[in-house]
Amino acid sequence: MAARDARWAGIFPVLCTPFDAEGAIDVEAQRAVVSFALACGVHGLVCFGLGAEVNKLTPDERRRLTDAIVDEAAGRAPVLIGVGAEAVHTAVDLARYAEAAGADGIVVPPPFTAGLPGDDLTGYFRAIAEAVDLPVMLQDASVYLGAALSPALVRRLGSAQPNIRYVKIEAGPEVTARWVAAVGSDVGVFTGDAGAYLLPCLRAGAVGNIPAVEVADRLVAAYDAEARGDWAGADACFLPLLAYLLFALQGGIDHCNAATKATLVRRGVLARAGLREPAPDFGPLFDRLVEGHAAALDLVPAPAA
């Protein structure tokens, strides 16, 4: 199977979803986010994860944005489309659409509302993976989604379904090391947590990270230095980011998404930073903190395309 030939590694940020003042998806702004990420030198793109407010998007909106993102990426980096849904048939339809649109892979989280343990979702994951001839990344995010996947389950699924090749986990280096040992060399482990544990997780055996997109250029620089064996250089790129990354993470998914968009406004990528309603208002202190982090890191200018 061609999917076995894929070997993803590096920084694969989740693309935020821009909305206009009326709350409609902003396709041209989405293209600008793709262009920004590619200018940052990312190794891949992930679409429609929690960092994309996916639970506030309709299937038709996801299809429309899939077309725009794949078109804008134009083969310059792998595009992984999140296809998780509450029903198997919806997820299968989204997966088949992603493949037909030219995506390079799919990401499959557990359903939000099923309330089932990971082992009881075996049929869900297999049905989606069987529907396409694309590499599949499973997502374990039990702190956000409830259902926890185990390394043993992921290894069994990968053995039974050859295009299940990756898993994304939200974990620090100790847990990452256990996952890497347990799933074996056929399943690559990506971590998340906005990139806050990037280097220790890479050193624990992770193949890459799926952060938010707003500081992707700095995370790419750290990853590339690490990949060259330049640990000191990697630390020098990464450590100044920690204060911002921990700030973004501290208030949950909406806080992180709001920080992403606010920072992209300050970098000249987006014209507006709003989340789709209903959404919290983080207030003027949030704005001042984002501004302070952006100034401290000199994040105002976007990298040149």
Side-chain angles (χ1 to χ4, degrees), residues 266 281-291:
R266 283 154 179 80
D281 179 1
F282 292 105
L285 177 59
F286 171 88
D287 293 332
R288 291 197 298 273
L289 290 170
V290 170
E291 188 68 44

Side-chain angles (χ1 to χ4, degrees), residues 245-271:
L245 296 176
L246 293 176
F247 159 75
L249 274 176
Q250 69 180 338
I253 292 297
D254 276 340
H255 189 276
C256 193
N257 292 343
T260 294
K261 289 184 174 181
T263 301
L264 289 176
V265 168
R266 283 154 179 80
R267 302 197 74 178
V269 179
L270 294 180

Side-chain angles (χ1 to χ4, degrees), residues 29-142:
Q30 186 72 83
R31 287 180 175 274
V33 174
V34 174
S35 179
F36 166 78
L38 294 171
C40 287
V42 301
H43 307 95
L45 303 169
V46 175
C47 315
F48 315 131
L50 295 172
E53 300 174 72
V54 65
N55 55 320
K56 297 179 182 179
L57 297 173
T58 69
D60 283 344
E61 288 173 328
R62 289 164 72 171
R63 295 184 189 98
R64 186 179 173 199
L65 290 170
T66 292
D67 290 338
I69 291 165
V70 171
D71 179 69
E72 189 68 28
R76 290 176 285 175
V79 176
L80 283 56
I81 301 294
V83 301
E86 298 312 290
V88 171
H89 76 273
T90 306
V92 165
D93 180 69
L94 290 169
R96 288 174 173 159
Y97 191 91
E99 183 170 41
D104 299 283
I106 60 172
V107 182
V108 188
F112 287 101
T113 58
L116 297 172
D119 283 354
D120 288 351
L121 293 169
T122 297
Y124 171 84
F125 291 119
R126 289 199 63 179
I128 299 166
E130 287 171 354
V132 295
D133 186 25
L134 289 175
V136 176
M137 177 184 290
L138 303 182
Q139 182 176 4
D140 177 68
S142 55

